[in-house]
Amino acid sequence: MSDSHRRYNAIKKALVQCLGSQPQGHFQQHLHTLALLIGGIIGSSHTQLPEIASHSPEKTKLESRATKFKRWLSNERISEELYWLPFARALLGKLSQHRNEITLVIDGSVMGQGCVGLVVGVVYAGRALPVAWLVREGKKGHFSQAEHLALLAKVKPLVPSGVQVVFLGDGEFDGTLLQEELGEAGWSYVVRTAKNSLLRQGDKWLNFEQLGVGRGQLRFLSEVGFSAEGYGSLLAIAYWDKQYEEPIYLISNLRSAEQACDYYKRRWRIESFFSDQKSRGFRLEDNHLNRPERIERLLIGCAIAYWWLTYLGLVAHSKNEDQLVHRTERTDLSFFRLGWRYLNELLLRGRKLPCNLLALPAS
């Protein structure tokens, strides 16, 4: 059996296991194509359709295989509700079992041709596994607060009841409407803001820069109103870690400034996710798609591919088999990169491919 067949079979089995039931009819056909898409993305390290098609096990012409993927990405019946959200819900459900708390991160990046994507990921295993996204036309730049809220509306129903959530974002995500939605959901949050953002303490107004933080220092104010609206009773933080070139300014509904800073340090993990999806991984920025809805469907394949490779890296580490593909004295690869190498080694040795995506260890 070829490597592409073995990848496809393992991925298809993993998808069915996550769903918990055997798909039927059109859903089964579309899931078959999704498994082929995922396998092709991993096999080719690319998101251009001819490259993906070149690693499909089907015995048809390359052009026909590429056309099949193009039709899948163009099909309006391929919705996130059917082909991604069940997997995202299962992922969050599994991770919340580890310790009844999840950390979510939001950020945006260029995707495809003339499009930008906004993604929420869950922090796990040194990365942010994607949970939900939206894509629109445009160059790199800020999304509107309405788009932030639209994406949040996708994510909230996926979080299991009773699970504590900490939400992280950079300076684009300090809007008071977003903060209000997060607070009403009962979620904690830490978001970056600008040094000239206004704070109200009683009758006094000031900005973050006036906190006068020096290198290596942490200064904060409790129970302050934020922005010109004087929104909330929040925690305002000025923090200048010695490794930073300049201080960062945070607004949070947590009570502890130290805890808020510790959480915020996890925010960079979504930037690592974007790097893995692009230059270090699937080259998402090089595909020729220019319609947001098609890129959103392509992201279904990229997200599951990313999840599977990260899972394989954890399997290799837990079995002490990371030494098969990396130096013996230590492992300095991400679980994503480790999983990719481990997959190729298993294929080379003719060994069984692990496919239980919900067998994720605590991280």
Side-chain angles (χ1 to χ4, degrees):
M1 185 182 295
S2 68
D3 287 353
S4 58
H5 266 105
R6 295 183 62 207
R7 269 195 304 266
Y8 163 77
N9 287 338
I11 292 165
K12 182 67 175 294
K13 184 177 179 180
L15 297 180
V16 173
Q17 285 179 338
C18 285
L19 291 172
S21 61
Q22 187 66 39
Q24 302 294 327
H26 289 300
F27 187 84
Q28 182 180 33
Q29 295 173 14
H30 294 322
L31 202 69
H32 162 73
T33 304
L34 174 58
L36 292 172
L37 180 72
I38 297 166
I41 290 171
I42 294 172
S44 66
S45 308
H46 223 296
T47 52
Q48 288 187 12
L49 299 188
E51 297 291 338
I52 295 172
S54 68
H55 288 77
S56 170
E58 292 189 323
K59 302 298 183 182
T60 57
K61 290 184 178 179
L62 177 65
E63 184 177 350
S64 297
R65 300 197 298 271
T67 299
K68 180 174 186 173
F69 292 131
K70 183 177 180 179
R71 288 173 178 166
W72 192 90
L73 296 176
S74 304
N75 190 338
E76 294 181 357
R77 291 185 293 180
I78 306 298
S79 66
E80 291 179 40
E81 288 75 16
L82 286 176
Y83 295 94
W84 168 246
L85 296 187
F87 301 111
R89 189 174 290 107
L91 172 63
L92 292 183
K94 177 61 181 180
L95 295 184
S96 64
Q97 292 175 7
H98 293 327
R99 56 173 193 158
N100 200 43
E101 179 186 283
I102 59 174
T103 303
L104 300 176
V105 191
I106 188 171
D107 205 358
S109 184
V110 174
M111 296 181 180
Q113 303 299 309
C115 292
V116 288
L118 185 65
V119 178
V120 169
V122 58
V123 172
Y124 176 71
R127 287 296 190 267
L129 300 182
V131 172
W133 52 81
L134 59 85
V135 180
R136 64 165 170 80
E137 293 181 355
K139 299 180 180 180
K140 187 174 182 179
H142 287 185
F143 286 79
S144 68
Q145 196 165 187
E147 289 166 324
H148 301 166
L149 294 173
L151 184 55
L152 182 62
K154 285 186 179 184
V155 176
K156 286 166 63 177
L158 303 176
V159 177
S161 177
V163 173
Q164 297 177 14
V165 179
V166 181
F167 190 91
L168 309 176
D170 67 10
E172 178 184 344
F173 305 101
D174 63 350
T176 57
L177 292 178
L178 179 60
Q179 291 185 54
E180 183 177 9
E181 284 290 320
L182 293 170
E184 289 183 355
W187 295 3
S188 301
Y189 62 85
V190 187
V191 293
R192 191 170 178 174
T193 191
K195 64 183 180 181
N196 60 350
S197 293
L198 292 176
L199 299 170
R200 186 187 68 192
Q201 188 177 43
D203 296 330
K204 181 182 177 181
W205 288 88
L206 68 160
N207 61 36
F208 279 86
E209 192 172 25
Q210 289 174 284
L211 295 180
V213 67
R215 184 178 289 274
Q217 293 182 334
L218 168 66
R219 294 192 175 182
F220 63 91
L221 295 174
S222 301
E223 299 181 359
V224 297
F226 174 70
S227 81
E229 305 167 37
Y231 170 77
S233 179
L234 303 173
L235 180 65
I237 303 167
Y239 176 51
W240 195 345
D241 191 285
K242 291 181 179 179
Q243 65 180 340
Y244 298 162
E245 294 183 1
E246 57 186 22
I248 63 173
Y249 305 102
L250 306 173
I251 195 76
S252 175
N253 63 351
L254 291 168
R255 294 185 177 182
S256 167
E258 291 80 5
Q259 184 184 40
C261 292
D262 286 343
Y263 275 119
Y264 188 76
K265 290 176 182 178
R266 304 178 189 181
R267 195 208 65 82
W268 64 268
R269 297 182 186 183
I270 198 167
E271 295 180 2
S272 298
F273 159 74
F274 284 127
S275 296
D276 291 338
Q277 290 291 317
K278 293 181 175 182
S279 58
R280 294 198 304 229
F282 303 147
R283 306 181 201 177
L284 186 59
E285 78 281 18
D286 291 336
N287 74 70
H288 296 154
L289 301 178
N290 57 11
R291 296 189 181 182
E293 65 276 10
R294 296 184 182 182
I295 296 175
E296 288 182 342
R297 296 186 187 106
L298 177 64
L299 282 170
I300 298 174
C302 292
I304 297 175
Y306 194 69
W307 178 3
W308 190 42
L309 292 177
T310 301
Y311 156 71
L312 289 176
L314 288 159
V315 170
H317 182 69
S318 67
K319 292 183 175 182
N320 293 319
E321 291 197 332
D322 40 359
Q323 298 177 8
L324 292 175
V325 295
H326 198 41
R327 62 186 69 184
T328 58
E329 68 274 15
R330 73 176 193 273
T331 297
D332 53 16
L333 293 172
S334 69
F335 286 115
F336 167 69
R337 299 301 308 181
L338 177 62
W340 213 334
R341 288 192 185 185
Y342 186 54
L343 170 62
N344 290 333
E345 188 69 15
L346 293 179
L347 290 170
L348 179 65
R349 293 169 180 254
R351 290 176 52 185
K352 182 179 179 180
L353 304 183
C355 60
N356 187 358
L357 288 175
L358 297 180
L360 293 167
S363 172

